[in-house]
């Protein structure tokens, strides 16, 4: 993950040269003006015209961009936390880099290391910056995905830059890095730093509360209303844009809602995310419109065997058809 880019590269020279209205661009009820770039750098995410913004989460992210706040987005998997930040950045033309903060990301990956390189035919040792000092010096929105899966030694490196205008000290270089005025820091997390209490997110851990206190804005993005979710699925899978297709999508979302309610009640241990519903609809097209087969291959086969009958019942309620896993079809000797 170490990089070696000159400070005078094109990205460093970018400037937010205009202000945009949050109300006009994102439809949120606020008079906030947000900096934006006229030049679209290669690090800017692609715009997804079908993306639906959650107003509160959008407001939190925009506050991060406009006022240099450290913003954490918490919620269940598949709700679009990272994508939400990406799509805001895409419309602001703000360069963005995502780092998956899994257990293999080390302190060296973040800070940097000495490396042997060839200069004029001779081997010399030079320092290669990690992703953190590289991003800190540029107009970059740095997003730490799976923030609650990071190793403790890595988390304390990040803690140095969590404070607004926080500087990063490179001890090996006797050097202090001041952040670019347009550097922004975001994170996404499933467990809000309190550890995994549901059994869904193995590998996550508790986060030092001194560090959590440095995140100035925490927004929660969970599952959307049925109507909004149906619209998202239809936008992603336009082949269902017919009266019958919309009824199918509505039934799919009802199944997903039933799994979420059952999960919250402790009845099942696996839950359908909006991403799962989109994948289900796409797989149904692949399997020649066989909704039941696509459901089994997309979600049901991931469930605990003891829970499959209950999940198959959700499908039966929404579609009026029994699956092979349904309790109604189990033969009693």
């Amino acid at each position: 993950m170490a990089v070696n880019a000159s400070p005078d590269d094109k990205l460093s020279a970018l400037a937010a040269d205009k202000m945009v209205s949050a109300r006009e661009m994102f439809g949120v009820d606020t008079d906030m003006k947000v900096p934006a770039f006229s030049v679209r750098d290669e690090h800017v995410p692609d715009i997804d015209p079908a993306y639906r913004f959650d107003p509160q989460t959008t407001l939190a992210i925009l506050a991060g961009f406009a006022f240099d706040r450290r913003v954490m987005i918490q919620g269940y998997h598949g709700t679009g936390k990272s994508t939400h930040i990406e799509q805001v950045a895409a419309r602001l033309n703000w360069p963005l880099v995502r780092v998956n903060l899994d257990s293999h990301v080390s302190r060296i990956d973040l800070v940097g290391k000495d490396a042997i390189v060839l200069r004029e035919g001779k081997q010399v040792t030079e320092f290669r910056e990690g992703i953190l000092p590289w991003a800190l010096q540029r107009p970059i929105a740095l997003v730490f995905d799976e923030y609650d899966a990071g190793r403790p030694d890595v988390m304390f490196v990040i803690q140095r830059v969590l404070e607004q205008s926080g500087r990063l000290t490179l001890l090996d270089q006797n050097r202090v890095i001041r952040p670019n005025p347009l550097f922004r820091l975001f994170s996404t997390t499933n467990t809000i730093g309190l550890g995994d209490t549901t059994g869904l997110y193995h590998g996550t851990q508790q986060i030092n509360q001194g560090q959590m206190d440095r995140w100035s804005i925490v927004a929660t993005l969970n599952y959307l209303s049925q109507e909004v979710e149906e619209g998202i699925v239809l936008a992603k899978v336009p082949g269902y844009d017919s009266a019958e297709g919309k009824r199918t999508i509505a039934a799919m979302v009802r199944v997903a809602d039933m799994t979420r309610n059952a999960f919250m009640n402790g009845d099942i241990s696996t839950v359908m995310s909006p991403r799962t519903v989109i994948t289900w609809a796409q797989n149904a097209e692949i399997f020649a419109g066989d909704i039941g087969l696509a459901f089994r291959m997309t979600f049901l086969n991931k469930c605990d065997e003891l829970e499959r009958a209950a999940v198959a019942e959700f499908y039966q309620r929404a579609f009026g058809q029994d699956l092979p896993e349904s309790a109604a079809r189990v033969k009693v000797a």
Side-chain angles (χ1 to χ4, degrees):
M1 196 177 290
V3 293
N4 187 23
S6 60
D8 57 347
D9 58 27
K10 290 191 299 181
L11 182 57
S12 299
L14 286 181
D17 51 0
K18 62 180 181 179
M19 302 292 286
V20 299
S21 166
R23 189 188 307 276
E24 293 176 7
M25 181 167 284
F26 298 97
V28 292
D29 188 17
T30 177
D31 295 327
M32 187 187 301
K33 301 291 184 181
V34 188
F37 295 76
S38 297
V39 177
R40 191 172 182 83
D41 181 77
E42 62 180 3
H43 294 85
V44 177
D46 294 330
I47 291 178
D48 179 0
Y51 192 79
R52 303 291 183 91
F53 290 95
D54 173 71
Q56 279 196 345
T57 307
T58 304
L59 193 59
I61 295 170
L62 288 174
F65 279 113
F67 300 103
D68 193 15
R69 312 302 285 170
R70 304 303 189 229
V71 181
M72 172 181 284
I73 310 296
Q74 182 268 337
Y76 287 123
H77 61 285
T79 52
K81 301 181 294 296
S82 304
T83 310
H84 210 307
I85 301 170
E86 279 190 331
Q87 289 305 307
V88 171
R91 286 156 175 79
L92 298 175
N93 284 339
W94 205 299
L96 180 143
V97 173
R98 284 173 60 177
V99 177
N100 193 20
L101 208 62
D102 57 51
S103 59
H104 294 288
V105 174
S106 67
R107 182 183 183 279
I108 288 176
D109 291 324
L110 285 188
V111 176
K113 61 182 178 181
D114 287 327
I116 298 175
V117 298
L118 285 174
R119 295 285 187 202
E120 299 177 356
K122 296 181 179 180
Q123 288 186 342
V124 296
T125 301
E126 69 176 30
F127 183 75
R128 291 289 184 95
E129 290 179 342
I131 190 66
L132 193 54
W134 177 84
L136 197 66
Q137 299 172 82
R138 289 162 177 79
I140 284 276
L142 182 59
V143 182
F144 286 121
D145 282 332
E146 316 302 340
Y147 188 74
D148 46 2
R151 289 162 36 179
D153 59 324
V154 172
M155 305 306 281
F156 281 111
V157 173
I158 298 172
Q159 186 162 322
R160 302 179 190 178
V161 298
L162 275 177
E163 295 179 5
Q164 192 170 5
S165 301
R167 302 172 185 176
L168 178 64
T169 303
L170 299 179
L171 298 178
D172 298 340
Q173 300 291 301
N174 294 325
R175 181 172 155 222
V176 177
I177 296 177
R178 298 173 183 270
N180 186 292
L182 295 172
F183 170 76
R184 299 293 184 265
L185 188 60
F186 299 88
S187 70
T188 67
T189 173
N190 297 124
T191 64
I192 206 60
L194 299 176
D196 181 20
T197 59
T198 64
L200 274 179
Y201 304 113
H202 300 293
T204 58
Q205 54 196 323
Q206 292 184 340
I207 298 175
N208 182 304
Q209 286 300 300
Q211 182 167 143
M212 284 297 299
D213 190 53
R214 286 170 166 81
W215 289 97
S216 44
I217 296 177
V218 178
T220 298
L221 179 62
N222 279 326
Y223 300 119
L224 306 172
S225 66
Q226 181 165 337
E227 294 77 14
V228 173
E229 189 168 345
E230 288 173 17
I232 292 172
V233 178
L234 279 171
K236 292 289 187 180
V237 196
Y240 289 84
D241 194 8
S242 65
E244 182 180 354
K246 289 178 180 177
R247 285 194 295 270
T248 300
I249 294 298
M252 288 179 170
V253 175
R254 281 202 300 275
V255 174
D257 281 341
M258 284 187 272
T259 67
R260 294 161 193 166
N261 290 331
F263 169 76
M264 292 174 188
N265 293 333
D267 298 328
I268 63 174
S269 56
T270 312
V271 65
M272 289 184 74
S273 70
R275 184 191 298 129
T276 310
V277 180
I278 293 169
T279 305
W280 177 12
Q282 292 169 336
N283 287 346
E285 290 185 326
I286 294 172
F287 298 131
D290 192 332
I291 304 294
L293 177 62
F295 176 69
R296 295 169 67 198
M297 292 193 173
T298 305
F299 180 72
L300 190 59
N301 291 343
K302 297 177 184 176
C303 299
D304 188 299
E305 288 189 19
L306 298 176
E307 298 173 354
R308 290 181 186 177
V311 177
E313 183 182 341
F314 300 153
Y315 180 91
Q316 194 280 331
R317 288 185 203 170
F319 287 93
Q321 298 175 354
D322 287 327
L323 295 175
E325 293 81 0
S326 174
R329 301 187 62 169
V330 176
K331 293 183 179 179
V332 179

